[in-house]
Amino acid sequence: EYGNAEKHLRAIWVEDPTNIRLLTALGKIYKAWKQYEKATKYFLIGELLEPNNSFALYGLADTYRGMGDYKNALKYWLRFQALEPRNKVALTRIGDCYARLGDFERGLAFYRKALEIGYDFYASLGSAKIHAAYNNAAQAVEVFEQMAASERGNSRYYYEYIRVCQQCGEQQRAAQ
């Protein structure tokens, strides 16, 4: 899908190597292709040229996330979030990073911030999973029940709900 675009953008980039739009566009293409090392290179150059460029910071955060490097992902999500403090995606991804790094309290805090802005499936899911990890079945189930109206027909919702119920020893609820 991006094949021709990548060729054209690289040709233009050679002529204009400090063009931040070209750099972040190339990074985005490589990230979509899961060529994370190449994506990182272009986003890092963009960040060097413009340290507060939201596209470069978002790209780096999401690329490190794709690589499973949650410590670096968190660093860039926090920088991005400082520029866009009400960005639900960033708040949710920060919560995800904290949860992956084992800092569940901070993870919950960022999921709550995202949910204060508006409903978000992944912020709700992250909250439920943290409650389940703390063996707080009632709280985890409550989160899923709050999600139910928004997630009718969403097979991922049902799958995760059943998994959390089983994890919390709520076998009967899982069977329902």
Side-chain angles (χ1 to χ4, degrees), residues 117-129:
I117 295 168
Y119 177 74
D120 184 273
F121 174 77
Y122 295 102
S124 297
L125 179 60
S127 295
K129 286 182 170 186

Side-chain angles (χ1 to χ4, degrees), residues 18 20 28 42 52 62 78 80 94 103 105 128 138 142 166:
T18 61
I20 193 78
K28 186 177 177 180
Y42 288 101
N52 289 323
D62 208 32
L78 288 168
F80 176 82
I94 292 168
D103 191 340
E105 290 302 319
E142 182 180 325
Q166 289 173 335

Side-chain angles (χ1 to χ4, degrees), residues 78 81 91-92 94-95 98 106-114:
L78 288 168
Q81 191 258 334
L91 292 167
T92 299
I94 292 168
Y98 278 125
R106 281 192 180 151
L108 274 175
F110 276 91
Y111 291 143
R112 278 190 215 105
K113 285 182 186 183

Side-chain angles (χ1 to χ4, degrees), residues 6-95:
E6 184 253 356
K7 288 177 191 171
H8 293 298
L9 288 173
R10 283 182 51 117
I12 297 168
W13 177 64
V14 170
E15 300 297 319
D16 191 3
T18 61
N19 185 319
I20 193 78
R21 289 187 176 122
L22 292 173
L23 289 162
T24 56
L26 283 163
K28 186 177 177 180
I29 289 169
Y30 290 120
K31 182 172 64 81
W33 287 344
K34 297 186 186 323
Q35 294 180 14
Y36 297 123
E37 298 300 326
K38 284 184 180 180
T40 302
K41 176 179 106 175
Y42 288 101
F43 289 131
L44 282 171
I45 294 169
E47 181 211 9
L48 265 171
L49 294 170
E50 289 184 29
N52 289 323
N53 182 284
S54 61
F55 296 105
L57 295 175
Y58 188 105
L60 282 165
D62 208 32
T63 300
Y64 282 121
R65 175 180 159 268
M67 296 167 74
D69 183 349
Y70 299 105
K71 188 174 180 181
N72 273 318
L74 178 61
K75 177 175 96 172
Y76 286 104
W77 282 124
L78 288 168
R79 286 184 55 200
F80 176 82
Q81 191 258 334
L83 299 173
E84 295 190 25
R86 294 189 48 81
N87 186 302
K88 274 193 315 184
V89 171
L91 292 167
T92 299
R93 299 274 169 85
I94 292 168

